[in-house]
């Protein structure tokens, strides 16, 4: 279920970044980490309490009690109260969400973004996680595509349940678009309610969808089968030499 939590974090952080973006002229000087604008589709996320922080490393403990190392670079975007901040503004005991590329098999993330959460934001994230857990497979779908058979798509969900969904003439397909696409696809708006905003990204067709890709979407059960109204293929982030994650191509257009 940790993967499910990660998906919620990715969507929440992407939405938070777009909500918190400030003009470049408002950024604090002296050590400010300048991040790239754009979505975070395809990355990994973890949330928890800060146990230690330096200019290059943030240590946190997840709600499950697991210790994570978050690597910070000059390209890591740090946000707090809708403003870019420095590492000195993040304190031990703060609740944060960190998002980026995770080292395979390790509790280590090369962070593209770290956001300090208020108690209200943390509560909203938990509510979204609960909503997603209850809605997964009913009004929401997320996971990795394992098989495509005509209009039937088999998805391995984050809770390790394999589900066959069926697309129809009313299903719209998108690719990329970063977190906004995911947030809309998963029915999450800034306030946690379902959003009718069309997902961002490139319009594609069923023929463009491939086995192995990660997908999110919303829809409804029809005759016991999930039929998506929107289906978004999440683009993986491309690693950069400095260890941070570059936005997918569609996010840079």
């Amino acid at each position: 279920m940790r993967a499910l939590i990660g998906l919620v974090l990715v969507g929440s952080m992407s939405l938070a970044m777009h909500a918190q973006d400030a003009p470049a002229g408002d950024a604090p000087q002296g050590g400010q980490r300048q991040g790239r604008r754009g979505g975070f589709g395809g990355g990994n996320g973890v949330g928890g309490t800060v146990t230690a922080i330096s200019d290059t490393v943030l240590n946190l403990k997840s709600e499950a009690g697991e210790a994570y190392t978050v690597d910070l670079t000059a390209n890591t975007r740090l946000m707090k109260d809708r403003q870019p901040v420095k590492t000195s503004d993040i304190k031990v005991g703060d609740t944060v969400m960190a998002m980026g590329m995770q080292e395979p098999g390790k509790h280590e993330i090369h962070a593209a973004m770290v956001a300090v959460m208020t108690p209200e934001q943390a509560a909203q994230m938990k509510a979204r996680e609960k909503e997603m857990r209850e809605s997964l497979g009913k009004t929401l779908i997320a996971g990795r595509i394992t098989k495509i058979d005509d209009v039937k798509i088999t998805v391995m969900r984050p809770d390790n349940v394999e589900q066959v969904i069926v697309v129809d003439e009313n299903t719209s397909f998108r690719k990329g678009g970063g977190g906004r696409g995911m947030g809309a696809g998963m029915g999450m708006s800034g306030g946690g309610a379902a959003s009718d905003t069309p997902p961002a990204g490139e319009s594609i067709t069923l023929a463009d969808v491939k086995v192995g890709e990660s997908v999110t979407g919303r829809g409804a059960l029809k005759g016991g089968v999930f039929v998506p109204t929107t289906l978004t293929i999440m683009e993986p982030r491309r690693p950069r030499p400095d260890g941070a994650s570059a936005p997918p191509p569609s996010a840079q257009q």
Side-chain angles (χ1 to χ4, degrees), residues 11 13 27 29 57-58 63 69 75 87 90 112 181 234 238 244 247:
M13 286 190 65
Q29 302 298 315
V57 176
L58 181 151
E63 287 194 9
T69 298
N75 294 292
T87 52
I90 302 177
M234 308 304 294
R238 297 174 293 107

Side-chain angles (χ1 to χ4, degrees), residues 43-46 68-71 99-111 239-245:
N44 295 296
V46 64
Y68 279 82
T69 298
V70 180
D71 298 320
M99 192 273 171
M101 297 300 293
Q102 185 169 358
E103 287 284 345
K106 298 182 180 180
H107 286 185
E108 180 178 0
I109 291 180
H110 300 286
R240 292 208 302 261
D242 59 12
S245 303

Side-chain angles (χ1 to χ4, degrees), residues 8 23 34-35 55 60 63 70 83 137 142 156 165 180 236:
V8 175
Q34 299 294 333
D55 285 339
L60 64 81
E63 287 194 9
V70 180
Q83 297 293 330
M156 177 59 73
I165 67 175
R180 284 179 296 175

Side-chain angles (χ1 to χ4, degrees), residues 148-168:
I148 301 175
D149 182 10
D150 195 20
V151 295
K152 296 180 180 180
I153 300 176
T154 304
V155 177
M156 177 59 73
R157 298 180 347 199
D159 54 358
N160 293 320
V161 173
E162 198 168 58
Q163 182 171 356
V164 177
I165 67 175
V166 175
V167 300
D168 62 15

Side-chain angles (χ1 to χ4, degrees), residues 38-242:
F40 288 122
N44 295 296
V46 64
T49 303
V50 177
T51 58
I53 185 169
S54 69
D55 285 339
T56 57
V57 176
L58 181 151
N59 298 110
L60 64 81
K61 180 181 288 187
S62 71
E63 287 194 9
E66 298 173 320
Y68 279 82
T69 298
V70 180
D71 298 320
L72 309 175
T73 73
N75 294 292
T76 303
R77 188 178 181 87
L78 305 178
M79 302 295 294
K80 183 178 182 179
D81 295 331
R82 296 178 176 269
Q83 297 293 330
V85 296
K86 298 177 288 187
T87 52
S88 58
D89 297 310
I90 302 177
K91 308 298 182 184
V92 171
D94 282 345
T95 299
V96 301
M97 293 189 297
M99 192 273 171
M101 297 300 293
Q102 185 169 358
E103 287 284 345
K106 298 182 180 180
H107 286 185
E108 180 178 0
I109 291 180
H110 300 286
M113 177 180 173
V114 175
V116 180
M117 303 178 67
T118 65
E120 292 77 13
Q121 289 170 334
Q124 287 179 359
M125 185 185 70
K126 290 180 181 179
R128 287 171 182 161
E129 177 193 337
K130 181 176 183 292
E131 178 186 359
M132 183 177 175
R133 184 184 291 111
E134 294 174 348
S135 302
L136 193 62
K138 301 173 184 176
T139 59
L140 305 175
I141 191 66
R144 183 174 59 85
I145 297 173
T146 59
K147 183 180 180 181
I148 301 175
D149 182 10
D150 195 20
V151 295
K152 296 180 180 180
I153 300 176
T154 304
V155 177
M156 177 59 73
R157 298 180 347 199
D159 54 358
N160 293 320
V161 173
E162 198 168 58
Q163 182 171 356
V164 177
I165 67 175
V166 175
V167 300
D168 62 15
E169 67 277 6
N170 296 315
T171 303
S172 64
F173 299 88
R174 313 291 297 184
K175 184 170 185 177
R180 284 179 296 175
M182 179 175 180
M186 300 312 293
M188 294 185 296
S189 66
S195 171
D196 292 327
T197 303
E202 173 191 1
S203 178
I204 60 174
T205 67
L206 176 59
D208 300 309
V209 180
K210 309 297 181 185
V211 170
E213 292 181 316
S214 296
V215 64
T216 66
R218 57 178 175 173
L221 291 175
K222 297 182 180 180
V225 178
F226 183 86
V227 179
T229 55
T230 60
L231 210 55
T232 301
I233 303 300
M234 308 304 294
E235 289 185 282
R237 296 179 61 80
R238 297 174 293 107
R240 292 208 302 261
D242 59 12

